[in-house]
Amino acid sequence: MKIHITISFLICTITSSLAYLCPTPHGTYPHEWNKAAYYRCSGGCDYQESCPPDTFYSNVAGKCEMKPGTWIPYYDLTGRNQWNNIMMEIIQTSYNVQWVYETSEAIHTFIGQYVNETVIMGMETSLRKKTNCIVLQNFQLAVSRKRNFCRTRVSFPWYTRTCGISLSGNECFSY
């Protein structure tokens, strides 16, 4: 029994390095900043979990629920953004944000969700016109005021093709 507990603790410590410290061996606890995520502690090991789309973790209920309850997005991004002769219509409905725009090379569609008062996480799908190659990019957007946001973190999901293009860089938009 003593050997099993030591091995479990060692495995938990290795897999949870730099992660959440469980206040009790079992339970669920809110993520520090992402209100669509939480930590599940089991046997003292922490596991970061994500709520299903359009749900948020409720610390009171200890589970994911449809309405966040205690917070709303600080800023509305709805509007038209024009740069480099490209028009982008941004639509925000409650906690959800989306846009579509077209360039000579591709059609881009973004769908995201506020995960706290000023951060949106989502995915942009780009259809390359010449090759019909589809590229997926995960975006994190930092919203600083009405109609103003910056892409702060961009990555390709492990399962996407890159179609020979590089990741979009950090970029700010004000409109």
mmCIF file of all heavy atoms in Angstrom, residues 27-71:
data_model
loop_
_atom_site.group_PDB
_atom_site.id
_atom_site.type_symbol
_atom_site.label_atom_id
_atom_site.label_comp_id
_atom_site.label_asym_id
_atom_site.label_seq_id
_atom_site.Cartn_x
_atom_site.Cartn_y
_atom_site.Cartn_z
ATOM 1 N N GLY A 27 -12.255 16.972 -5.783
ATOM 2 C CA GLY A 27 -13.165 18.098 -5.955
ATOM 3 C C GLY A 27 -12.931 18.803 -7.268
ATOM 4 O O GLY A 27 -12.025 18.446 -8.036
ATOM 5 N N THR A 28 -13.748 19.816 -7.543
ATOM 6 C CA THR A 28 -13.576 20.650 -8.736
ATOM 7 C C THR A 28 -13.389 22.091 -8.283
ATOM 8 O O THR A 28 -13.995 22.532 -7.306
ATOM 9 C CB THR A 28 -14.787 20.549 -9.691
ATOM 10 O OG1 THR A 28 -15.968 20.947 -9.006
ATOM 11 C CG2 THR A 28 -14.939 19.141 -10.236
ATOM 12 N N TYR A 29 -12.535 22.812 -9.038
ATOM 13 C CA TYR A 29 -12.173 24.169 -8.652
ATOM 14 C C TYR A 29 -12.051 25.037 -9.897
ATOM 15 O O TYR A 29 -11.632 24.556 -10.952
ATOM 16 C CB TYR A 29 -10.846 24.157 -7.879
ATOM 17 C CG TYR A 29 -10.923 23.243 -6.686
ATOM 18 C CD1 TYR A 29 -10.497 21.920 -6.781
ATOM 19 C CD2 TYR A 29 -11.476 23.679 -5.504
ATOM 20 C CE1 TYR A 29 -10.604 21.058 -5.702
ATOM 21 C CE2 TYR A 29 -11.590 22.830 -4.416
ATOM 22 C CZ TYR A 29 -11.153 21.523 -4.524
ATOM 23 O OH TYR A 29 -11.277 20.677 -3.459
ATOM 24 N N PRO A 30 -12.401 26.326 -9.814
ATOM 25 C CA PRO A 30 -12.355 27.196 -11.000
ATOM 26 C C PRO A 30 -10.941 27.423 -11.501
ATOM 27 O O PRO A 30 -9.984 27.445 -10.731
ATOM 28 C CB PRO A 30 -12.974 28.504 -10.495
ATOM 29 C CG PRO A 30 -12.829 28.479 -9.015
ATOM 30 C CD PRO A 30 -12.821 27.038 -8.613
ATOM 31 N N HIS A 31 -10.823 27.575 -12.814
ATOM 32 C CA HIS A 31 -9.562 27.966 -13.448
ATOM 33 C C HIS A 31 -9.259 29.404 -13.037
ATOM 34 O O HIS A 31 -10.183 30.174 -12.751
ATOM 35 C CB HIS A 31 -9.721 27.845 -14.970
ATOM 36 C CG HIS A 31 -8.442 28.001 -15.718
ATOM 37 N ND1 HIS A 31 -7.944 29.228 -16.058
ATOM 38 C CD2 HIS A 31 -7.560 27.085 -16.186
ATOM 39 C CE1 HIS A 31 -6.806 29.068 -16.711
ATOM 40 N NE2 HIS A 31 -6.544 27.775 -16.808
ATOM 41 N N GLU A 32 -8.002 29.787 -13.027
ATOM 42 C CA GLU A 32 -7.620 31.121 -12.576
ATOM 43 C C GLU A 32 -8.231 32.247 -13.411
ATOM 44 O O GLU A 32 -8.634 33.263 -12.881
ATOM 45 C CB GLU A 32 -6.084 31.297 -12.599
ATOM 46 C CG GLU A 32 -5.334 30.361 -11.703
ATOM 47 C CD GLU A 32 -5.019 29.034 -12.383
ATOM 48 O OE1 GLU A 32 -5.189 28.899 -13.601
ATOM 49 O OE2 GLU A 32 -4.620 28.105 -11.660
ATOM 50 N N TRP A 33 -8.281 32.084 -14.741
ATOM 51 C CA TRP A 33 -8.777 33.169 -15.592
ATOM 52 C C TRP A 33 -9.767 32.701 -16.654
ATOM 53 O O TRP A 33 -10.526 33.495 -17.178
ATOM 54 C CB TRP A 33 -7.615 33.907 -16.258
ATOM 55 C CG TRP A 33 -6.758 33.033 -17.117
ATOM 56 C CD1 TRP A 33 -5.651 32.355 -16.723
ATOM 57 C CD2 TRP A 33 -6.934 32.729 -18.507
ATOM 58 N NE1 TRP A 33 -5.129 31.639 -17.772
ATOM 59 C CE2 TRP A 33 -5.900 31.850 -18.888
ATOM 60 C CE3 TRP A 33 -7.875 33.119 -19.471
ATOM 61 C CZ2 TRP A 33 -5.775 31.360 -20.171
ATOM 62 C CZ3 TRP A 33 -7.749 32.621 -20.754
ATOM 63 C CH2 TRP A 33 -6.701 31.764 -21.092
ATOM 64 N N ASN A 34 -9.800 31.435 -16.996
ATOM 65 C CA ASN A 34 -10.683 30.920 -18.039
ATOM 66 C C ASN A 34 -11.961 30.389 -17.412
ATOM 67 O O ASN A 34 -11.973 29.325 -16.809
ATOM 68 C CB ASN A 34 -9.970 29.813 -18.822
ATOM 69 C CG ASN A 34 -10.779 29.289 -19.977
ATOM 70 O OD1 ASN A 34 -11.977 29.541 -20.092
ATOM 71 N ND2 ASN A 34 -10.134 28.528 -20.832
ATOM 72 N N LYS A 35 -13.032 31.121 -17.571
ATOM 73 C CA LYS A 35 -14.292 30.742 -16.932
ATOM 74 C C LYS A 35 -15.016 29.617 -17.670
ATOM 75 O O LYS A 35 -16.055 29.162 -17.253
ATOM 76 C CB LYS A 35 -15.182 31.968 -16.771
ATOM 77 C CG LYS A 35 -14.524 32.990 -15.838
ATOM 78 C CD LYS A 35 -15.406 34.149 -15.563
ATOM 79 C CE LYS A 35 -14.811 35.303 -14.880
ATOM 80 N NZ LYS A 35 -14.027 35.319 -13.787
ATOM 81 N N ALA A 36 -14.433 29.150 -18.784
ATOM 82 C CA ALA A 36 -14.984 28.003 -19.505
ATOM 83 C C ALA A 36 -14.151 26.752 -19.218
ATOM 84 O O ALA A 36 -14.225 25.767 -19.928
ATOM 85 C CB ALA A 36 -15.024 28.285 -21.003
ATOM 86 N N ALA A 37 -13.351 26.802 -18.165
ATOM 87 C CA ALA A 37 -12.511 25.666 -17.777
ATOM 88 C C ALA A 37 -12.490 25.546 -16.257
ATOM 89 O O ALA A 37 -12.870 26.479 -15.550
ATOM 90 C CB ALA A 37 -11.093 25.846 -18.311
ATOM 91 N N TYR A 38 -12.037 24.412 -15.780
ATOM 92 C CA TYR A 38 -11.933 24.180 -14.339
ATOM 93 C C TYR A 38 -10.917 23.073 -14.089
ATOM 94 O O TYR A 38 -10.442 22.420 -15.021
ATOM 95 C CB TYR A 38 -13.297 23.806 -13.748
ATOM 96 C CG TYR A 38 -13.879 22.529 -14.307
ATOM 97 C CD1 TYR A 38 -13.706 21.313 -13.660
ATOM 98 C CD2 TYR A 38 -14.609 22.537 -15.505
ATOM 99 C CE1 TYR A 38 -14.237 20.141 -14.185
ATOM 100 C CE2 TYR A 38 -15.139 21.368 -16.030
ATOM 101 C CZ TYR A 38 -14.947 20.179 -15.363
ATOM 102 O OH TYR A 38 -15.465 19.015 -15.884
ATOM 103 N N TYR A 39 -10.574 22.886 -12.838
ATOM 104 C CA TYR A 39 -9.675 21.801 -12.446
ATOM 105 C C TYR A 39 -10.476 20.740 -11.710
ATOM 106 O O TYR A 39 -11.311 21.050 -10.863
ATOM 107 C CB TYR A 39 -8.561 22.308 -11.525
ATOM 108 C CG TYR A 39 -7.636 23.270 -12.214
ATOM 109 C CD1 TYR A 39 -7.722 24.640 -11.988
ATOM 110 C CD2 TYR A 39 -6.662 22.814 -13.103
ATOM 111 C CE1 TYR A 39 -6.871 25.526 -12.622
ATOM 112 C CE2 TYR A 39 -5.809 23.697 -13.744
ATOM 113 C CZ TYR A 39 -5.925 25.050 -13.491
ATOM 114 O OH TYR A 39 -5.080 25.919 -14.127
ATOM 115 N N ARG A 40 -10.209 19.499 -12.053
ATOM 116 C CA ARG A 40 -10.794 18.366 -11.335
ATOM 117 C C ARG A 40 -9.646 17.698 -10.600
ATOM 118 O O ARG A 40 -8.627 17.339 -11.199
ATOM 119 C CB ARG A 40 -11.436 17.383 -12.313
ATOM 120 C CG ARG A 40 -12.025 16.143 -11.647
ATOM 121 C CD ARG A 40 -12.687 15.224 -12.646
ATOM 122 N NE ARG A 40 -11.836 14.844 -13.761
ATOM 123 C CZ ARG A 40 -10.949 13.839 -13.738
ATOM 124 N NH1 ARG A 40 -10.789 13.131 -12.651
ATOM 125 N NH2 ARG A 40 -10.235 13.555 -14.816
ATOM 126 N N CYS A 41 -9.796 17.581 -9.293
ATOM 127 C CA CYS A 41 -8.754 16.952 -8.482
ATOM 128 C C CYS A 41 -9.219 15.557 -8.094
ATOM 129 O O CYS A 41 -10.349 15.368 -7.638
ATOM 130 C CB CYS A 41 -8.479 17.780 -7.229
ATOM 131 S SG CYS A 41 -7.797 19.411 -7.633
ATOM 132 N N SER A 42 -8.356 14.590 -8.300
ATOM 133 C CA SER A 42 -8.658 13.202 -7.973
ATOM 134 C C SER A 42 -7.413 12.581 -7.362
ATOM 135 O O SER A 42 -6.363 12.529 -8.029
ATOM 136 C CB SER A 42 -9.090 12.451 -9.226
ATOM 137 O OG SER A 42 -9.325 11.095 -8.937
ATOM 138 N N GLY A 43 -7.519 12.159 -6.144
ATOM 139 C CA GLY A 43 -6.371 11.577 -5.463
ATOM 140 C C GLY A 43 -5.231 12.560 -5.309
ATOM 141 O O GLY A 43 -4.073 12.169 -5.254
ATOM 142 N N GLY A 44 -5.543 13.865 -5.274
ATOM 143 C CA GLY A 44 -4.511 14.894 -5.146
ATOM 144 C C GLY A 44 -3.902 15.313 -6.462
ATOM 145 O O GLY A 44 -3.134 16.262 -6.515
ATOM 146 N N CYS A 45 -4.231 14.626 -7.563
ATOM 147 C CA CYS A 45 -3.732 14.995 -8.898
ATOM 148 C C CYS A 45 -4.722 15.958 -9.549
ATOM 149 O O CYS A 45 -5.929 15.788 -9.436
ATOM 150 C CB CYS A 45 -3.577 13.759 -9.774
ATOM 151 S SG CYS A 45 -2.249 12.664 -9.261
ATOM 152 N N ASP A 46 -4.189 16.949 -10.232
ATOM 153 C CA ASP A 46 -5.050 17.916 -10.908
ATOM 154 C C ASP A 46 -5.177 17.583 -12.390
ATOM 155 O O ASP A 46 -4.224 17.125 -13.011
ATOM 156 C CB ASP A 46 -4.499 19.331 -10.751
ATOM 157 C CG ASP A 46 -3.162 19.498 -11.450
ATOM 158 O OD1 ASP A 46 -2.208 18.833 -11.026
ATOM 159 O OD2 ASP A 46 -3.086 20.267 -12.418
ATOM 160 N N TYR A 47 -6.360 17.794 -12.921
ATOM 161 C CA TYR A 47 -6.651 17.601 -14.343
ATOM 162 C C TYR A 47 -7.420 18.821 -14.811
ATOM 163 O O TYR A 47 -8.471 19.128 -14.267
ATOM 164 C CB TYR A 47 -7.490 16.342 -14.574
ATOM 165 C CG TYR A 47 -6.844 15.100 -14.016
ATOM 166 C CD1 TYR A 47 -7.138 14.652 -12.732
ATOM 167 C CD2 TYR A 47 -5.923 14.382 -14.772
ATOM 168 C CE1 TYR A 47 -6.535 13.522 -12.209
ATOM 169 C CE2 TYR A 47 -5.312 13.242 -14.253
ATOM 170 C CZ TYR A 47 -5.623 12.818 -12.975
ATOM 171 O OH TYR A 47 -5.022 11.706 -12.462
ATOM 172 N N GLN A 48 -6.877 19.544 -15.807
ATOM 173 C CA GLN A 48 -7.605 20.687 -16.336
ATOM 174 C C GLN A 48 -8.665 20.186 -17.299
ATOM 175 O O GLN A 48 -8.368 19.411 -18.203
ATOM 176 C CB GLN A 48 -6.675 21.669 -17.036
ATOM 177 C CG GLN A 48 -7.410 22.919 -17.484
ATOM 178 C CD GLN A 48 -6.484 23.978 -18.047
ATOM 179 O OE1 GLN A 48 -5.333 24.096 -17.634
ATOM 180 N NE2 GLN A 48 -6.987 24.739 -18.993
ATOM 181 N N GLU A 49 -9.890 20.619 -17.099
ATOM 182 C CA GLU A 49 -11.026 20.207 -17.926
ATOM 183 C C GLU A 49 -11.628 21.443 -18.594
ATOM 184 O O GLU A 49 -11.546 22.545 -18.061
ATOM 185 C CB GLU A 49 -12.104 19.533 -17.065
ATOM 186 C CG GLU A 49 -11.617 18.371 -16.225
ATOM 187 C CD GLU A 49 -11.438 17.094 -17.021
ATOM 188 O OE1 GLU A 49 -11.984 17.001 -18.124
ATOM 189 O OE2 GLU A 49 -10.759 16.185 -16.524
ATOM 190 N N SER A 50 -12.250 21.254 -19.741
ATOM 191 C CA SER A 50 -12.947 22.334 -20.441
ATOM 192 C C SER A 50 -14.441 22.065 -20.418
ATOM 193 O O SER A 50 -14.870 20.918 -20.559
ATOM 194 C CB SER A 50 -12.483 22.426 -21.894
ATOM 195 O OG SER A 50 -11.127 22.762 -21.947
ATOM 196 N N CYS A 51 -15.202 23.123 -20.263
ATOM 197 C CA CYS A 51 -16.654 22.999 -20.333
ATOM 198 C C CYS A 51 -17.065 22.806 -21.791
ATOM 199 O O CYS A 51 -16.367 23.270 -22.698
ATOM 200 C CB CYS A 51 -17.321 24.260 -19.785
ATOM 201 S SG CYS A 51 -17.095 24.493 -18.008
ATOM 202 N N PRO A 52 -18.204 22.161 -22.041
ATOM 203 C CA PRO A 52 -18.704 22.060 -23.417
ATOM 204 C C PRO A 52 -18.960 23.459 -23.995
ATOM 205 O O PRO A 52 -19.098 24.422 -23.241
ATOM 206 C CB PRO A 52 -20.021 21.285 -23.260
ATOM 207 C CG PRO A 52 -19.899 20.573 -21.955
ATOM 208 C CD PRO A 52 -19.049 21.450 -21.086
ATOM 209 N N PRO A 53 -19.015 23.591 -25.323
ATOM 210 C CA PRO A 53 -19.261 24.897 -25.941
ATOM 211 C C PRO A 53 -20.502 25.564 -25.355
ATOM 212 O O PRO A 53 -21.488 24.909 -25.028
ATOM 213 C CB PRO A 53 -19.474 24.557 -27.419
ATOM 214 C CG PRO A 53 -18.725 23.280 -27.613
ATOM 215 C CD PRO A 53 -18.873 22.526 -26.315
ATOM 216 N N ASP A 54 -20.426 26.888 -25.224
ATOM 217 C CA ASP A 54 -21.520 27.730 -24.725
ATOM 218 C C ASP A 54 -21.876 27.451 -23.272
ATOM 219 O O ASP A 54 -22.976 27.754 -22.827
ATOM 220 C CB ASP A 54 -22.773 27.612 -25.606
ATOM 221 C CG ASP A 54 -22.517 28.113 -27.020
ATOM 222 O OD1 ASP A 54 -21.734 29.074 -27.174
ATOM 223 O OD2 ASP A 54 -23.065 27.526 -27.961
ATOM 224 N N THR A 55 -20.961 26.862 -22.513
ATOM 225 C CA THR A 55 -21.173 26.686 -21.076
ATOM 226 C C THR A 55 -19.955 27.224 -20.328
ATOM 227 O O THR A 55 -18.879 27.395 -20.901
ATOM 228 C CB THR A 55 -21.400 25.210 -20.681
ATOM 229 O OG1 THR A 55 -20.228 24.462 -20.958
ATOM 230 C CG2 THR A 55 -22.594 24.624 -21.412
ATOM 231 N N PHE A 56 -20.148 27.511 -19.047
ATOM 232 C CA PHE A 56 -19.129 28.104 -18.208
ATOM 233 C C PHE A 56 -19.143 27.410 -16.855
ATOM 234 O O PHE A 56 -20.191 26.986 -16.378
ATOM 235 C CB PHE A 56 -19.391 29.603 -18.034
ATOM 236 C CG PHE A 56 -19.449 30.332 -19.342
ATOM 237 C CD1 PHE A 56 -20.641 30.450 -20.044
ATOM 238 C CD2 PHE A 56 -18.307 30.883 -19.892
ATOM 239 C CE1 PHE A 56 -20.694 31.102 -21.266
ATOM 240 C CE2 PHE A 56 -18.353 31.531 -21.100
ATOM 241 C CZ PHE A 56 -19.537 31.648 -21.791
ATOM 242 N N TYR A 57 -17.977 27.328 -16.217
ATOM 243 C CA TYR A 57 -17.891 26.650 -14.924
ATOM 244 C C TYR A 57 -18.488 27.531 -13.835
ATOM 245 O O TYR A 57 -18.153 28.707 -13.709
ATOM 246 C CB TYR A 57 -16.439 26.320 -14.582
ATOM 247 C CG TYR A 57 -16.328 25.610 -13.262
ATOM 248 C CD1 TYR A 57 -16.654 24.267 -13.162
ATOM 249 C CD2 TYR A 57 -15.931 26.277 -12.121
ATOM 250 C CE1 TYR A 57 -16.579 23.604 -11.952
ATOM 251 C CE2 TYR A 57 -15.846 25.624 -10.908
ATOM 252 C CZ TYR A 57 -16.181 24.293 -10.829
ATOM 253 O OH TYR A 57 -16.114 23.643 -9.616
ATOM 254 N N SER A 58 -19.374 26.958 -13.047
ATOM 255 C CA SER A 58 -19.972 27.644 -11.894
ATOM 256 C C SER A 58 -19.340 27.087 -10.632
ATOM 257 O O SER A 58 -19.494 25.906 -10.326
ATOM 258 C CB SER A 58 -21.489 27.418 -11.871
ATOM 259 O OG SER A 58 -21.998 27.809 -10.612
ATOM 260 N N ASN A 59 -18.645 27.944 -9.907
ATOM 261 C CA ASN A 59 -18.024 27.533 -8.658
ATOM 262 C C ASN A 59 -19.088 27.170 -7.618
ATOM 263 O O ASN A 59 -18.892 26.273 -6.812
ATOM 264 C CB ASN A 59 -17.119 28.654 -8.134
ATOM 265 C CG ASN A 59 -16.186 28.174 -7.056
ATOM 266 O OD1 ASN A 59 -15.775 27.017 -7.049
ATOM 267 N ND2 ASN A 59 -15.835 29.063 -6.149
ATOM 268 N N VAL A 60 -20.222 27.853 -7.665
ATOM 269 C CA VAL A 60 -21.310 27.587 -6.718
ATOM 270 C C VAL A 60 -21.894 26.194 -6.957
ATOM 271 O O VAL A 60 -22.059 25.403 -6.026
ATOM 272 C CB VAL A 60 -22.414 28.662 -6.829
ATOM 273 C CG1 VAL A 60 -23.596 28.320 -5.950
ATOM 274 C CG2 VAL A 60 -21.856 30.030 -6.471
ATOM 275 N N ALA A 61 -22.187 25.876 -8.225
ATOM 276 C CA ALA A 61 -22.791 24.580 -8.555
ATOM 277 C C ALA A 61 -21.743 23.474 -8.657
ATOM 278 O O ALA A 61 -22.073 22.294 -8.575
ATOM 279 C CB ALA A 61 -23.569 24.680 -9.865
ATOM 280 N N GLY A 62 -20.471 23.855 -8.872
ATOM 281 C CA GLY A 62 -19.413 22.862 -9.024
ATOM 282 C C GLY A 62 -19.483 22.106 -10.333
ATOM 283 O O GLY A 62 -19.016 20.973 -10.440
ATOM 284 N N LYS A 63 -20.059 22.747 -11.373
ATOM 285 C CA LYS A 63 -20.189 22.107 -12.681
ATOM 286 C C LYS A 63 -20.348 23.177 -13.756
ATOM 287 O O LYS A 63 -20.505 24.361 -13.461
ATOM 288 C CB LYS A 63 -21.384 21.155 -12.700
ATOM 289 C CG LYS A 63 -22.717 21.844 -12.487
ATOM 290 C CD LYS A 63 -23.865 20.850 -12.502
ATOM 291 C CE LYS A 63 -25.186 21.585 -12.364
ATOM 292 N NZ LYS A 63 -26.312 20.695 -12.509
ATOM 293 N N CYS A 64 -20.340 22.756 -15.014
ATOM 294 C CA CYS A 64 -20.537 23.672 -16.132
ATOM 295 C C CYS A 64 -22.024 23.954 -16.303
ATOM 296 O O CYS A 64 -22.844 23.045 -16.229
ATOM 297 C CB CYS A 64 -19.955 23.074 -17.418
ATOM 298 S SG CYS A 64 -18.171 22.811 -17.326
ATOM 299 N N GLU A 65 -22.343 25.234 -16.528
ATOM 300 C CA GLU A 65 -23.733 25.649 -16.711
ATOM 301 C C GLU A 65 -23.841 26.563 -17.928
ATOM 302 O O GLU A 65 -22.848 27.113 -18.387
ATOM 303 C CB GLU A 65 -24.240 26.374 -15.465
ATOM 304 C CG GLU A 65 -24.296 25.480 -14.244
ATOM 305 C CD GLU A 65 -24.906 26.190 -13.048
ATOM 306 O OE1 GLU A 65 -24.740 27.417 -12.910
ATOM 307 O OE2 GLU A 65 -25.567 25.497 -12.253
ATOM 308 N N MET A 66 -25.060 26.745 -18.408
ATOM 309 C CA MET A 66 -25.297 27.534 -19.616
ATOM 310 C C MET A 66 -24.962 29.014 -19.440
ATOM 311 O O MET A 66 -24.421 29.632 -20.331
ATOM 312 C CB MET A 66 -26.750 27.398 -20.080
ATOM 313 C CG MET A 66 -27.084 26.009 -20.580
ATOM 314 S SD MET A 66 -26.056 25.467 -21.952
ATOM 315 C CE MET A 66 -26.655 26.498 -23.260
ATOM 316 N N LYS A 67 -25.274 29.614 -18.324
ATOM 317 C CA LYS A 67 -25.022 31.042 -18.133
ATOM 318 C C LYS A 67 -23.908 31.228 -17.123
ATOM 319 O O LYS A 67 -23.877 30.574 -16.091
ATOM 320 C CB LYS A 67 -26.288 31.734 -17.643
ATOM 321 C CG LYS A 67 -27.385 31.729 -18.672
ATOM 322 C CD LYS A 67 -28.562 32.539 -18.215
ATOM 323 C CE LYS A 67 -29.632 32.546 -19.288
ATOM 324 N NZ LYS A 67 -30.767 33.359 -18.928
ATOM 325 N N PRO A 68 -22.981 32.151 -17.410
ATOM 326 C CA PRO A 68 -21.876 32.348 -16.489
ATOM 327 C C PRO A 68 -22.283 32.919 -15.142
ATOM 328 O O PRO A 68 -21.590 32.734 -14.172
ATOM 329 C CB PRO A 68 -20.932 33.285 -17.223
ATOM 330 C CG PRO A 68 -21.678 33.809 -18.358
ATOM 331 C CD PRO A 68 -22.858 32.936 -18.608
ATOM 332 N N GLY A 69 -23.369 33.646 -15.066
ATOM 333 C CA GLY A 69 -23.892 34.084 -13.783
ATOM 334 C C GLY A 69 -23.279 35.338 -13.211
ATOM 335 O O GLY A 69 -23.976 36.305 -12.969
ATOM 336 N N THR A 70 -21.983 35.363 -12.974
ATOM 337 C CA THR A 70 -21.399 36.471 -12.234
ATOM 338 C C THR A 70 -20.583 37.443 -13.080
ATOM 339 O O THR A 70 -20.008 38.369 -12.548
ATOM 340 C CB THR A 70 -20.484 35.925 -11.119
ATOM 341 O OG1 THR A 70 -19.470 35.121 -11.724
ATOM 342 C CG2 THR A 70 -21.263 35.103 -10.126
ATOM 343 N N TRP A 71 -20.525 37.269 -14.382
ATOM 344 C CA TRP A 71 -19.732 38.185 -15.202
ATOM 345 C C TRP A 71 -20.311 38.301 -16.599
ATOM 346 O O TRP A 71 -21.045 37.429 -17.055
ATOM 347 C CB TRP A 71 -18.276 37.724 -15.276
ATOM 348 C CG TRP A 71 -18.089 36.418 -15.993
ATOM 349 C CD1 TRP A 71 -18.214 35.176 -15.467
ATOM 350 C CD2 TRP A 71 -17.786 36.231 -17.375
ATOM 351 N NE1 TRP A 71 -18.010 34.223 -16.427
ATOM 352 C CE2 TRP A 71 -17.736 34.842 -17.619
ATOM 353 C CE3 TRP A 71 -17.557 37.089 -18.441
ATOM 354 C CZ2 TRP A 71 -17.454 34.297 -18.855
ATOM 355 C CZ3 TRP A 71 -17.273 36.547 -19.687
ATOM 356 C CH2 TRP A 71 -17.213 35.165 -19.878
#
